[in-house]
C-alpha cells in the first residue's frame, strides 16, 4: 500500500483538486451532493508525514462543502 512514488507537490491541494473532479463527475452522473462524503484516505498511499499533515489541515477540505470522513484507527503511522 505504501509502495511506489509517494511524493506530492502540495498534498492537500492535489487531493482537493482530485475530490473536486470526482465530485463533479458524481453530480453529472446524477448523484446528489447530499450523498457524497469526502474521505482523504488516511494511511493509503501516503507517508507518515503526509498522514499527519492531512490530520492537521483537515479543515481545508471543508471547501468542498461536504462532510469529511476519517478512519485513523489501526493505521500504521
Amino acid at each position: 500500500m505504501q509502495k511506489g512514488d509517494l511524493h506530492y507537490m502540495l498534498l492537500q491541494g492535489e487531493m482537493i483538486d482530485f475530490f473536486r473532479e470526482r465530485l463533479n463527475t458524481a453530480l453529472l452522473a446524477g448523484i446528489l451532493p447530499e450523498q457524497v462524503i469526502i474521505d482523504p484516505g488516511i494511511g493509503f498511499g501516503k507517508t507518515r508525514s503526509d498522514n499527519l499533515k492531512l490530520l492537521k489541515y483537515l479543515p481545508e477540505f471543508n471547501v468542498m462543502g461536504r462532510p469529511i470522513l476519517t478512519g485513523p484507527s489501526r493505521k500504521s503511522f
Side-chain angles (χ1 to χ4, degrees), residues 5-74:
D5 183 17
L6 298 178
H7 179 73
Y8 297 92
M9 294 300 290
L10 179 58
L11 179 65
Q12 304 95 285
E14 289 182 42
M15 291 183 67
I16 288 170
D17 289 346
F18 169 80
F19 284 128
R20 279 194 174 129
E21 179 183 311
R22 301 314 305 151
L23 179 59
N24 187 49
T25 299
L27 298 177
L28 290 173
I31 296 171
L32 299 174
E34 298 80 23
Q35 296 174 299
V36 177
I37 296 174
I38 302 298
D39 180 357
I42 304 286
F44 293 93
K46 295 165 199 77
T47 64
R48 174 184 300 205
S49 176
D50 288 339
N51 288 315
L52 294 173
K53 193 182 299 182
L54 275 179
L55 290 172
K56 181 177 181 180
Y57 296 107
L58 207 55
E60 291 185 19
F61 289 90
N62 286 329
V63 300
M64 304 296 301
R66 303 303 324 130
I68 302 166
L69 169 76
T70 60
S73 63
R74 296 185 169 197

